Amino acid sequence: MNNDKLTMSQGKLFDLASNALGEASKKLSSKNDDYATDGNALYNFNFASGILGVTTERALLGFVAKQIAHLYKPEVEVNNTLKDHITDIIAYLAILYAMIEEKGDKN
């Protein structure tokens, strides 16, 4: 990535951000089988939390950190691979949001 300054109208920013959210939502829907076992959409995150000895939310943040690490690789250019990692991060953060909401509903 270079250091060029970018400009964009608010409308275009909102349109592109909406597209990113839509792509992340599609990814979440299509990949949910990877996260779920026995009807629990959070199974893999619960399993990881047990291995790591941390909360489920912190385990999920480990998945986010892995995706962020990909963004810093020198060979990563602004292309579909980069956008794929970004939509993974958005999807993981949406799952984190859902976890927090679920905990709040139970309190």
Side-chain angles (χ1 to χ4, degrees):
M1 289 190 257
N2 60 35
N3 291 325
D4 291 341
K5 302 287 184 203
L6 299 174
T7 60
M8 182 182 305
S9 71
Q10 284 183 320
K12 185 169 184 180
L13 172 65
F14 294 143
D15 287 345
L16 293 173
S18 180
N19 290 347
L21 293 171
E23 289 300 313
S25 181
K26 283 191 250 179
K27 180 176 282 194
L28 180 58
S29 179
S30 69
K31 286 189 164 184
N32 191 251
D33 284 343
D34 293 341
Y35 310 135
T37 299
D38 297 330
N40 181 358
L42 304 176
Y43 178 84
N44 280 358
F45 305 112
N46 289 326
F47 186 81
S49 75
I51 291 172
L52 298 170
V54 297
T55 65
T56 304
E57 295 88 350
R58 292 229 182 254
L60 183 141
L61 289 171
F63 287 73
V64 172
K66 174 187 159 272
Q67 294 299 327
I68 291 172
H70 285 291
L71 300 180
Y72 281 92
K73 287 182 178 178
E75 67 273 10
V76 173
E77 296 293 326
V78 179
N79 59 25
N80 288 337
T81 301
L82 179 63
K83 292 192 309 188
D84 194 49
H85 291 301
I86 292 167
T87 55
D88 281 337
I89 293 166
I90 294 168
Y92 284 135
L93 292 177
I95 294 168
L96 179 60
Y97 183 93
M99 287 176 177
I100 293 167
E101 285 289 310
E102 181 69 10
K103 276 191 169 183
D105 287 347
K106 291 182 178 180
N107 290 330

